[in-house]
Every structure is written in C-alpha cells, then in structure tokens.
Amino acid sequence: MDHQRKTDDPWKVYEEEIPSRSLRYMGLGVSLQDELRLEHLQLLRERFSRPLTFVTDTGAPVRSSRPHGEPVTSHPRPSRGAAKLGTGRGGSLGNSMGLEEFRAVMRILPGSEGWVDTSCEGRVGWEQFCSYILQCALQRSTEEQARGDALTSQPLLRHCQHNKQEPVIRVVCVSQPPPLRFISISKGGVLSVWNRHLHLMRSLELIGDPAEGEHLRGKFKGWTTDAIFLPNVHKMAVATLGRELRFFDISTSNYTEEFHLFGLSNAVTSMCYWYDTKSPTDRSVLMWGDEKGFVHLLWFLKPLKGLFEIPFSNQKGPHRLYLPDLCPNSALVTYQQLSRVHQEPINRIKYESQGELIMTSSESATSSVVIMDLNLRRKSYIWKINKGVTSFDFCPALSLLVTCGLDPAVRLWNRYVTTRPVATLHGHNTTVLDVAIHQGLNNIFSYSRDAVLKIWDIPSQRCVRTLQLRFPCVKPGLSPECGHFPFLLHHTTQASPSMLLVTCKDYLACLHLQGKSTDEARASFTCAIYNSHLGQVVTACADSSLAVWDVGTGCKTLEVRHAHGEEEITCVALHHTHRHLLTGASNGTIKMWDLLNGHNLHKMEAVSDTEVTGIICFPGNRLLAVGWSQQIVQYTITDPNDVYVRADVSWKSGRQHRDDVLAVAHCPARRLLATGSFDGEVIIWTLDTERPLARLHSDQCSSGQAPVDRLLFLQGRAQSGQWGRRPLLLSSQAGYMCWWSVTGPPHCHGRFYAPQNAGECVLALSSDQDDRLLLTGDTAGFLQVWDISQFCLDNTDTVPTEERPPLLHRWRAHEGPLVCVECVESRPPGVLHLLSVSADGTARLWTVQGDAVGTFGQERRWTLGNVSTYQCSREDWSKQASDPSVDEEEEEEEEGAGKELGDSQSVERTDGPEDSGQVSPVSHVVQQLQRKMASWQTRRQTFGRIDPKKLSLIDSICVPFQALIMPEMSPVSEAPRRPEMLYEVLRFSQFSRFSRSTTLSSPLLSSCSPETTPAQERTSDTEATDS
C-alpha cells in the first residue's frame, strides 16, 4: 500500500502531537548523596589524587615521582620502550581511576551500587564524579517540588486565527454525540470547532438579527458574553449583549442556529445548565445571571420532545421567540425570575442539585458570594470579601469553597462559615482570574492575569507546581485582554486523563492531567528491549509511553509519557552506544531518546504515515528503518545538535518487497540485513552493495504464504568459520520456526512448529550470546527454552528436517500474548535470567529453570543472585497455573470466545506473581490480538489495496486500518437523529416508518460516505429490497 506522506512541511506531524514529558523515579532506598559525608569526600579525593602507576614491559609496576596528594593537570609521558600508562584493571590515569578500582573504593559507601559508566570509557574522573553528585541533588530537588504535579505533558498551544484578535470568551466541551470536540466562542461571535487534539475542524460566525430580513442581514455586530452546552438535547446556547439567547443544534456538523430567544430584561453575564443524568427525559433548567444582579431560571419540562413550541410556518432560518409571550400557557417551558441577589453584575453562577442550591458571585464587597435555596425556603449564606470575587468553585464532597478576586490571593472557605477563610494561598503577583477544583487529584488550579498557572495541593495547602504559559500575546509589562471564563476543566474516564483548557486573548492551551489511578487502566505493552550496558529493560506501551526498569531490583527508574503524542509505539531499538533509544510509531514517526534523562534528542523525517515495524542502528550515527511503506529508509545524524534529521530513500535496490515489511534483523559479523514481509517473503541484503543476496519464500518450508512475524540472526554461528552452509537466520511464520542459510541451495535446512497448541503464532524470539539456547514466546502466553547448540549443524539433505530441537523448559509466563523475550546476563557473569514481556501489560523476570523472580513494578524489590528475594519457584508457579478454583462459568465463556475466534485451544487461566495489587486484563487481550491477526489476513484477501480517500474519517477514531479490523463498527442505516426524534419514536413506537421518512444528513450518525447523498442511499435501499 502506498501511503507516502504528501506535505510541504515534513515536521508538521511532530508539531501537532502532544508534547512528551519524562519522569525520573529516584530515592528508592539509600542514595549516595544522602549518606555522603565530609570524611568520605576527603577519602575519595585522596584516592583520585594518588601517584600514577606505570607498567613496564616486564610487567613490574613503577610509581611516578609526583608528590602524594598533588592533583595532576596533565598526563606524564613515559620514555619510549620503558613504561606505559596502566589502563588495565586497577590502573589510574591522571585525576581518574579505573572503573573496577572506583567500585572497590565506593563499596565502603552505602547507596553507591547504582553507579553507571555514562561516558563508556571504562574510567571515572574526579570532575565527573562531582558533576554526578550535583546533578543527583538537583534532580532530587526538582522531583520533590513536582511530586504532586498533576500535569502529564507540556502545554499544547493553539492560535484562534479566525477570531480577528478578539479574546476567547468561553470554551465549551461537546461530548455528545461523539467524538469529543471543543468549541471556542470569541467576543466578536466567531465559533471555532476543535477536535480532542486541538486541531481546527471548522469555523463559523454568528449572523445578524434575523428580524432585519435576509437581504439586510449581515454579520454579527454585538459582543458575546457566555455560552453553555446542553448535553441531553445536543444544543448550545450563546448569550450576547443584545439581551438575547441563541440556541444551536450541534448534533450534526452543520451547527445550525435553531432558536433566537430575545426580549430578556437585561444582558446575560453568566449561565449554567442542569439536567438529571440518570433520567434525561425529566425536566431540566437553564440558569443565568444578568448585569443587574438578578437570577433567571428557564425550565424545560419535556426536553427530549422539544425546548420550545414551534408553530408551523414557512420561515427560513432560526425561529424567533419573544420571552414574555413564550412561557404563558406553554407545556414545554416555564420562566422564573428571582429577586435581586447582587448589586453588581453576576460573573459566576452554579447549581448544586444535591441541596437544590444556587451559587452566585460578583465583584461586590457586600455580596461577593451568595448561596441560596432554589425554593427560597432556607436562609442564604452571604460572603463579604474585600474587592469582591472574580471567580469561585465549589466541591460538595469536600464541602470546600474556593474564591479568587482582584487581589493576588486564593481563599479556601468552609461551606457554612462566611466570616473567616480556612486558608489563604499566596503566590500570584497579579489578579487571579479563575479557579477550579479537581477532587480526584486533590488539587486546586488557579490562573492569574500574567498567564501564570499554579497547582495547589489541598491537604497540605501548598503550591506544588508553577507554570508560566508561554502565550505569544503576553508581552512584558502589558496585560493581555482575557475572556471572562478562561478555564475549562474536562473530566474524562479513568482510562484517559482529564484535560484543562486555558485561554488568553485569542490563544488556547491544553494541559493533560493525571488519571485517578494508573493501575486501573494499565496499557498493554507492544514491544520491549534489554540494555545490557545499563542493566535496564525498556518497555513501550500502546498509549505512547515508555518505561525504563532496573533489572537488579525491578523498580521503575524513568518514564516518558506521550513519547509520540497519542500514537502507538510499534518498535524500539538501541543505539550502538547503548545510551540512546530509538522508537517508531504507527504514524511513521521515529525519535531518538536519552536513556539517562528521557530527553528527546532527534526527530526523523517520516516518509509515510503508516506503521514503522523495525529500526536498525549502525556505528557512525547511521539508522535504517522499515515498515508498511515497503521500502528501506536511511538516516544519518551528522550534527548531534540537529533536532530534525532528513530521510534518505536512495536505497540502491529500491523497493523490492511487494507487501508490507513486518520484521527486520541485522548480522554485524557478515554485514547482512534480512527483511520479512506480509506475503511470507524474506530478502537477505548485503549492506555494502545494498542489493539482495537471496530471496527466501515460506513455501520452501511447506508452511504456506504466512506472514513473517519475527526474524533472528544467530550471531554466534555467524562469527564461526563454517557459517556458509549452516543456518544463520530464523524466521517465525504462523508458529513455524524456519531455519535458513545465507548461501545455497538449499536455503531452508529445517522447520518445526514451536507452540503446543494449534493456531498460535510466535511473536517473541531470542537467543543467548553463544547460540546454545533459543527462546520463543507464543500468543498463548507460553515461554519455551530450546537447546539449539547442535541443531541443523550437520544437515546436508536437500529436504528440510522437521525434527524439533530438545525442549528444555516450557511454562506459561503470562496470561496474554508474549511480545518480547530476551536473555539477561547479570553479575556474577555466567548467571542467566530470562525476560518476558506480554501484551497484557506485565513484564517478568525468570530463571532458566522457570523460577519466577518477580514482576517489574511490584512493591517487593528483588536482588539478582539472592534466591530468597525471588517470587516463587517452578513448582509453586505450576500449582498456581493449575489452580482448580477457577469459576466454571468464566471457563465456559472463555472457551466459547476461543471457538468464535477459530482457536482450537481455549484460553488458560493462571495466577501471576505479585503485581502490586494491579488487575491485568485476561482473555480480552488474547482475543484482541487474535482478532487483529485474523482480520489482517481477511483484509488482504477481501479488500486488497485500500484507498484511504474512499473511507469516511472521523477525527482519529476511524483510521483506514481500524475501520476494517473492528467488526463492532457496523453501518447504521436507521437511527433517530435528534433527541426530539428519539422522543417521538419512543412515544409512538413507529421507528421503522419514522426513520425512513426522515432525511439523515449528519456525517456523525449517517452510514453513507461523504460522497454519497441521502437520495443515493435510499435508491440503494430500494434496489436491495427489489433484489
């Protein structure tokens, strides 16, 4: 499939994504900087400054004549042939010492086990050590300050270009009907529609007064004051200074104005809307406060039937409704005006349904905040605050009221105490414009006129984060014009974080907040890699996050959120220095990260908008990437300071694969490259000529045209002298392990089916350094250890052998499919452990015999080499895997799901090691992966080449690939559009005839594509009925 990225700006995809954010997890146990004393520094300084050691040709050590304790500024130069500097173990060089000698000295200090040779030179210098201590102290101070930080990424800024430099008055969140959208309303009446990523979808302007006639009607000449969303009826109300309310229908993408309510007594300054979420058909109320301090209530008695009674007329455009003549004798709406509450305009109004309370505020010092009963039966609570209040927020669960005013202070009040605040939070320098309470995070957000956002912790009543929003409109010494409602706090589900939108003149800023619990919605792992140099495991998640784990303890050391915005990370690779990480995403983007601090170093040019499936790194900062673009792309980082790196598509052989490339492997000893595609073809390339050396097809192994899931070069065999006729390459295709040789014929030397159950695939493949052990992980969650030390070494037959190598161990490591298995060699050398990473969101460490060391991220830390800290033995793990206390009903459901997927083996259940109280998904992960693989093959057979232009895209929810692999997304041909229509359907029970007589024009609910008209759709329905 050809999905080349056609754009004038190749870096636009990086600018539009959510910025990434790195979090370091330090302070686990005793740290070096906590236990370091003055006598320790003196001892280290003495050891660093001791005399140099020379080694003669005879092997006898000779000391230099430098006085003891004197630091060296330049390296002494021995005479030719007499002696040389000791660079081996224990030798010192100038103001530095060898790594092993440094570790021996550091053993006397507690908390020094985590030292890593970051320079990769094998030596440690005094200045390097001091810099490390200072950086650790700075990192500790930064983390303590941001410990209660609720932000998960950097702010995303957007400019409202259609506002004509008018400020944004209000941002409205539209969650129904999906997808999620935001509508910003400017002071001049411009409505801009944004998707959840703050990408502009469309923009429209308010029209003039409909009473002027269509020939005299022009642009809107007034100012807007507020806007509110009515979720149960899918409408939005906009208030203007012309003492009018305008109601828009937002159930479609047209955003048409339906009603024009005029004749209000005063101009509306603030609005709120309430309806019963458990019973949307019951009455609802629209409240507003006006410029004179009055509160008005407009009750909709039957909101799903209609907001207002509409007489039959031939009038075009919105229906004009006069408020004094509307409510008398109306069966749908009633109007109520309360007594004057404030002496100045009301700037905020809220409704608390639990106590039927109306809460209002103004800048009046005599009635700053008023809480009164809706029925006026109870006494009102009145707060008298100097200089009044500009905004407030109330949390009924905490009984907490938060106010802000013209002075730079945020005050916390008890709901029943009006005389004295509970606490006063100082920190702002200018007027605080708005405040908001997030109960789930126990945080208060405040925003001042100088574009400073502060996050306060409610229990400790202290500021945990201060963020200066870099709006381009903010100039030093000048205060930009801001709207009356600069905050929008949108609460989403637990699976996705909440969002905070902040406005400043004609700019928007979006900040993603943490969810309630990251354990409740753990994302599945897509790929992982082991870094032997740093002793770390890097895992990548489907939610575009990276996590770095310490192999020695199982603790998380680093996390990068929104690494590729919200795109799924599909592959990872290590830089040849083992200090940098390369990641590829499903949208074709590639990035390089620093594993020590999580900073994004480079961004590679994306040549396609399809998935990147493999990355190979070569010495000299050369990269190679493959994916669904079917081509090999190269990158060369010439300047380490360049953030953006151009792509080089001048591969000499061009595009040789006829289908998507799914796997890639590299053999440095023979300078070979292997790529495998969806159609089962494997191509072996020579890196020197960039041309194919051999083409291997899966039909040579009699395994059919199965996709190539994984490729693996046996590096140990490649370094031997008899590598020509022996198999060096392994490919995993539909569960079969095919053994290939570079030279031939024959190329195929053997094949065997690795999984125990039929219909499984091997998605994880690895071997040890000596190629004695082969690790395979299948989609059923089983890990197999094979002895391949003598496998296919003496096979001279032309027919591939189908014998299986000796199976040493086999156990079920995870409940979900395995996506990565690796051999981990730890200290002392020779002790081998096994790493397994699964799509169910768990990563575990094992011994070769199958003893569970533990799960990464668990509360109990382990120590490699100390068996007492391990989780459980092989026998205990087998007992847990065969626990008979499984619910029979759950087993029947899983067995039925397995039959529906065409699987001959039902999903087994097993209990894993300690997961720190986390609940991992069980069967749905396996079903999702198997359904994806089955749909992948069905898509190729049924649809062939897919043209994305013929698919109806809705934001980023229905991308071309997802629209075909999700069977639950069936076309909807008969569905009521508006709540009024739904009400009529439920009342008269005439759904079929009513829906066919109604024209559906909304792309959000219509099943026809944008190029298909409703008339064409009715014609096709008639033809189908006749046939």
Side-chain angles (χ1 to χ4, degrees):
M1 293 178 294
D2 190 6
H3 293 279
Q4 301 300 318
R5 190 179 298 277
K6 299 178 181 180
T7 177
D8 297 335
D9 187 6
W11 319 116
K12 185 178 180 180
V13 61
Y14 292 106
E15 297 174 355
E16 293 180 348
E17 69 182 14
I18 299 176
S20 62
R21 185 193 180 198
S22 60
L23 298 174
R24 295 199 62 184
Y25 296 85
M26 300 179 62
L28 299 175
V30 181
S31 60
L32 178 61
Q33 59 270 22
D34 292 337
E35 298 295 330
L36 203 58
R37 299 293 183 265
L38 181 59
E39 55 271 17
H40 298 153
L41 291 175
Q42 293 176 350
L43 176 61
L44 289 173
R45 178 58 177 167
E46 181 181 356
R47 297 300 293 269
F48 272 107
S49 304
R50 72 179 190 175
L52 294 177
T53 301
F54 295 94
V55 181
T56 62
D57 296 337
T58 60
V62 178
R63 290 185 177 272
S64 66
S65 58
R66 176 169 52 88
H68 179 70
E70 180 182 351
V72 178
T73 56
S74 61
H75 303 321
R77 189 172 185 178
S79 59
R80 179 179 301 179
K84 57 184 177 180
L85 287 175
T87 57
R89 181 177 179 179
S92 298
L93 180 62
N95 228 10
S96 64
M97 64 178 68
L99 188 59
E100 295 298 330
E101 181 184 3
F102 175 76
R103 286 173 176 167
V105 176
M106 295 293 290
R107 287 192 184 101
I108 64 176
L109 302 179
S112 59
E113 295 83 0
W115 175 266
V116 177
D117 181 19
T118 57
S119 62
C120 301
E121 297 176 354
R123 309 193 64 80
V124 180
W126 172 253
E127 295 181 356
Q128 181 185 3
F129 174 75
C130 294
S131 300
Y132 171 78
I133 297 298
L134 293 176
Q135 290 177 1
C136 288
L138 180 61
Q139 183 70 26
R140 174 68 63 84
S141 176
T142 304
E143 290 180 354
E144 289 180 353
Q145 180 181 2
R147 190 175 302 275
D149 192 359
L151 304 180
T152 60
S153 62
Q154 295 298 320
L156 181 64
L157 301 182
R158 287 291 184 264
H159 182 213
C160 303
Q161 300 179 356
H162 301 277
N163 281 16
K164 303 176 183 179
Q165 297 184 355
E166 293 284 349
V168 176
I169 298 299
R170 167 83 83 169
V171 179
V172 176
C173 176
V174 179
S175 57
Q176 296 293 334
L180 177 66
R181 291 154 291 164
F182 299 101
I183 302 178
S184 62
I185 299 92
S186 71
K187 186 177 181 179
V190 177
L191 279 65
S192 301
V193 185
W194 311 80
N195 63 5
R196 64 191 306 265
H197 305 293
L198 278 193
H199 296 163
L200 183 63
M201 300 174 61
R202 63 167 304 178
S203 179
L204 62 153
E205 297 184 13
L206 296 181
I207 59 176
D209 190 357
E212 298 178 357
E214 188 174 356
H215 62 286
L216 297 176
R217 189 186 311 167
K219 295 184 180 181
F220 177 69
K221 301 178 182 179
W223 284 351
T224 60
T225 56
D226 196 7
I228 198 70
F229 174 53
L230 287 61
N232 60 331
V233 293
H234 301 169
K235 288 179 175 54
M236 182 179 66
V238 179
T240 67
L241 281 180
R243 297 186 301 171
E244 59 185 9
L245 291 175
R246 302 191 177 199
F247 294 86
F248 290 83
D249 178 20
I250 58 177
S251 61
T252 68
S253 60
N254 297 328
Y255 301 95
T256 57
E257 184 178 352
E258 282 192 338
F259 306 107
H260 187 174
L261 184 62
F262 67 99
L264 279 64
S265 57
N266 299 297
V268 178
T269 55
S270 179
M271 293 190 298
C272 75
Y273 180 75
W274 175 85
Y275 74 101
D276 191 356
T277 56
K278 297 181 180 179
S279 181
T281 58
D282 293 347
R283 69 172 188 170
S284 58
V285 59
L286 175 65
M287 305 181 183
W288 69 83
D290 61 19
E291 57 184 348
K292 299 297 184 180
F294 291 92
V295 176
H296 307 262
L297 287 76
L298 192 63
W299 292 92
F300 301 109
L301 306 180
K302 300 177 182 179
L304 294 188
K305 185 177 181 180
L307 298 182
F308 307 101
E309 294 179 347
I310 306 173
F312 292 98
S313 64
N314 297 328
Q315 177 185 355
K316 295 183 179 179
H319 298 276
R320 288 178 51 82
L321 304 173
Y322 186 54
L323 181 61
D325 299 339
L326 177 66
C327 299
N329 302 323
S330 176
L332 297 180
V333 62
T334 60
Y335 171 73
Q336 179 182 2
Q337 177 178 335
L338 304 183
S339 60
R340 191 170 188 179
V341 181
H342 297 270
Q343 301 299 321
E344 294 190 11
I346 297 177
N347 51 33
R348 294 292 187 277
I349 182 172
K350 295 181 183 294
Y351 178 69
E352 177 54 43
S353 59
Q354 295 181 359
E356 294 186 345
L357 302 176
I358 300 177
M359 312 175 70
T360 59
S361 66
S362 69
E363 296 184 4
S364 173
T366 57
S367 58
S368 303
V369 179
V370 176
I371 299 180
M372 60 181 177
D373 182 26
L374 174 64
N375 302 316
L376 302 178
R377 298 175 181 176
R378 290 174 290 181
K379 179 181 178 181
S380 301
Y381 290 86
I382 302 177
W383 278 261
K384 300 180 180 180
I385 304 174
N386 187 24
K387 299 182 180 180
V389 167
T390 57
S391 177
F392 76 92
D393 197 8
F394 178 71
C395 179
L398 302 176
S399 189
L400 178 65
L401 175 69
V402 180
T403 63
C404 62
L406 297 178
D407 55 339
V410 178
R411 294 177 175 86
L412 279 62
W413 306 81
N414 186 284
R415 180 242 183 277
Y416 302 99
V417 180
T418 62
T419 57
R420 179 178 299 178
V422 176
T424 303
L425 309 179
H426 298 280
H428 285 285
N429 298 321
T430 57
T431 299
V432 182
L433 300 178
D434 209 346
V435 290
I437 302 175
H438 196 297
Q439 179 184 351
L441 298 177
N442 278 334
N443 287 146
I444 298 174
F445 299 90
S446 61
Y447 179 69
S448 59
R449 188 175 294 277
D450 55 355
V452 174
L453 175 68
K454 284 185 176 291
I455 304 176
W456 309 85
D457 182 58
I458 296 179
S460 62
Q461 300 175 3
R462 65 184 184 90
C463 180
V464 296
R465 179 74 182 272
T466 299
L467 184 62
Q468 176 69 56
L469 299 179
R470 305 293 181 180
F471 290 110
C473 59
V474 177
K475 304 298 181 182
L478 299 177
S479 297
E481 183 181 2
C482 297
H484 301 297
F485 309 93
F487 262 1
L488 172 62
L489 184 58
H490 172 60
H491 297 275
T492 57
T493 59
Q494 296 180 357
S496 57
S498 303
M499 302 172 65
L500 177 65
L501 272 74
V502 186
T503 65
C504 182
K505 199 176 180 180
D506 54 346
Y507 282 88
L508 298 177
C510 179
L511 299 95
H512 290 263
L513 310 178
Q514 294 180 358
K516 292 184 179 181
S517 177
T518 57
D519 298 337
E520 298 178 0
R522 180 175 52 193
S524 60
F525 290 145
T526 57
C527 51
I529 197 168
Y530 169 61
N531 189 345
S532 59
H533 179 74
L534 299 179
Q536 297 173 341
V537 174
V538 183
T539 57
C541 295
D543 61 352
S544 195
S545 63
L546 294 169
V548 181
W549 310 85
D550 182 21
V551 174
T553 59
C555 300
K556 184 186 295 186
T557 60
L558 179 67
E559 182 181 3
V560 179
R561 299 174 181 175
H562 301 290
H564 287 264
E566 293 186 345
E567 298 293 335
E568 177 183 348
I569 301 177
T570 55
C571 61
V572 293
L574 283 176
H575 194 259
H576 65 91
T577 60
H578 293 266
R579 290 183 295 169
H580 300 154
L581 179 72
L582 292 133
T583 58
S586 57
N587 62 344
T589 57
I590 302 175
K591 294 183 179 181
M592 180 182 288
W593 308 85
D594 192 334
L595 283 175
L596 300 179
N597 51 29
H599 292 172
N600 185 200
L601 302 178
H602 303 285
K603 301 177 181 179
M604 316 300 167
E605 179 184 1
V607 298
S608 173
D609 57 359
T610 56
E611 183 174 316
V612 180
T613 56
I615 304 174
I616 301 296
C617 184
F618 304 103
N621 286 331
R622 291 182 58 247
L623 311 177
L624 182 147
V626 297
W628 288 12
S629 63
Q630 306 176 9
Q631 59 182 336
I632 300 177
V633 184
Q634 303 179 80
Y635 300 91
T636 303
I637 304 176
T638 57
D639 188 354
N641 297 323
D642 290 341
V643 177
Y644 298 101
V645 180
R646 287 283 183 178
D648 181 11
V649 294
S650 61
W651 186 258
K652 292 183 180 180
S653 300
R655 184 182 302 183
Q656 295 290 330
H657 281 285
R658 296 182 296 272
D659 218 323
D660 300 344
V661 181
L662 305 182
V664 63
H666 176 224
C667 181
R670 301 303 169 187
R671 294 190 56 79
L672 299 177
L673 183 73
T675 55
S677 59
F678 182 84
D679 56 4
E681 183 182 28
V682 178
I683 301 180
I684 301 178
W685 312 76
T686 57
L687 294 176
D688 296 331
T689 61
E690 297 182 0
R691 298 189 182 280
L693 178 63
R695 290 180 178 269
L696 313 175
H697 296 274
S698 57
D699 53 4
Q700 301 177 16
C701 285
S702 302
S703 59
Q705 298 293 335
V708 180
D709 296 321
R710 287 293 184 272
L711 291 174
L712 175 66
F713 270 112
L714 300 177
Q715 308 294 345
R717 295 189 180 186
Q719 296 176 0
S720 63
Q722 301 178 357
W723 62 276
R725 296 289 181 178
R726 294 180 175 180
L728 299 182
L729 179 65
L730 274 72
S731 66
S732 169
Q733 300 173 248
Y736 284 90
M737 304 304 302
C738 302
W739 297 65
W740 308 92
S741 64
V742 177
T743 60
H747 287 288
C748 185
H749 289 256
R751 60 182 290 273
F752 65 90
Y753 187 74
Q756 183 180 8
N757 305 327
E760 303 293 344
C761 295
V762 176
L763 303 181
L765 199 61
S766 180
S767 66
D768 61 344
Q769 296 181 356
D770 301 330
D771 293 336
R772 294 180 295 104
L773 301 178
L774 175 66
L775 308 180
T776 59
D778 56 29
T779 52
F782 286 91
L783 176 62
Q784 299 94 359
V785 182
W786 310 84
D787 183 7
I788 61 170
S789 57
Q790 302 297 325
F791 187 72
C792 287
L793 291 182
D794 299 327
N795 185 20
T796 58
D797 299 336
T798 57
V799 180
T801 179
E802 294 187 1
E803 296 181 359
R804 297 172 52 160
L807 179 61
L808 302 180
H809 306 285
R810 179 182 181 273
W811 68 92
R812 190 171 191 190
H814 297 267
E815 298 174 346
L818 296 183
V819 297
C820 175
V821 291
E822 293 238 14
C823 292
V824 177
E825 186 174 356
S826 59
R827 296 191 184 92
V831 179
L832 200 64
H833 291 84
L834 307 182
L835 168 69
S836 64
V837 181
S838 172
D840 61 6
T842 57
R844 293 176 179 140
L845 196 66
W846 313 82
T847 63
V848 180
Q849 293 76 21
D851 298 336
V853 178
T855 303
F856 286 91
Q858 66 182 24
E859 294 182 2
R860 180 182 177 184
R861 301 170 59 183
W862 67 69
T863 303
L864 290 184
N866 187 0
V867 184
S868 61
T869 61
Y870 292 177
Q871 183 62 38
C872 61
S873 61
R874 174 76 178 273
E875 291 76 12
D876 297 337
W877 182 264
S878 301
K879 293 180 181 179
Q880 294 179 6
S882 59
D883 188 4
S885 61
V886 181
D887 191 0
E888 296 180 357
E889 296 182 359
E890 294 182 357
E891 289 182 353
E892 293 178 358
E893 293 179 359
E894 293 173 354
E895 184 177 1
K899 292 180 180 179
E900 292 178 0
L901 297 173
D903 191 3
S904 60
Q905 178 75 14
S906 63
V907 180
E908 298 183 24
R909 295 181 59 88
T910 178
D911 297 332
E914 181 182 0
D915 284 348
S916 65
Q918 298 178 354
V919 180
S920 62
V922 185
S923 60
H924 75 279
V925 178
V926 183
Q927 297 175 10
Q928 181 181 3
L929 184 59
Q930 292 177 348
R931 186 184 297 112
K932 180 179 180 181
M933 297 179 62
S935 301
W936 200 354
Q937 298 178 0
T938 305
R939 171 170 63 91
R940 294 308 182 99
Q941 298 174 2
T942 305
F943 297 94
R945 305 293 177 177
I946 300 174
D947 187 2
K949 297 181 180 179
K950 296 182 180 180
L951 297 178
S952 179
L953 303 182
I954 303 177
D955 193 15
S956 62
I957 294 181
C958 295
V959 300
F961 308 107
Q962 292 177 344
L964 295 177
I965 67 174
M966 290 194 300
E968 62 270 14
M969 294 191 62
S970 58
V972 179
S973 59
E974 297 180 352
R977 171 57 46 79
R978 302 174 183 174
E980 298 90 339
M981 298 166 55
L982 180 60
Y983 178 83
E984 296 294 337
V985 172
L986 297 177
R987 179 179 178 183
F988 299 103
S989 301
Q990 297 177 351
F991 173 74
S992 177
R993 184 177 60 185
F994 183 80
S995 60
R996 289 194 175 276
S997 62
T998 306
T999 301
L1000 300 181
S1001 60
S1002 171
L1004 298 178
L1005 295 179
S1006 178
S1007 61
C1008 56
S1009 62
E1011 294 136 350
T1012 306
T1013 61
Q1016 295 175 351
E1017 187 182 10
R1018 290 194 298 269
T1019 303
S1020 61
D1021 293 342
T1022 305
E1023 294 176 358
T1025 305
D1026 297 338
S1027 61

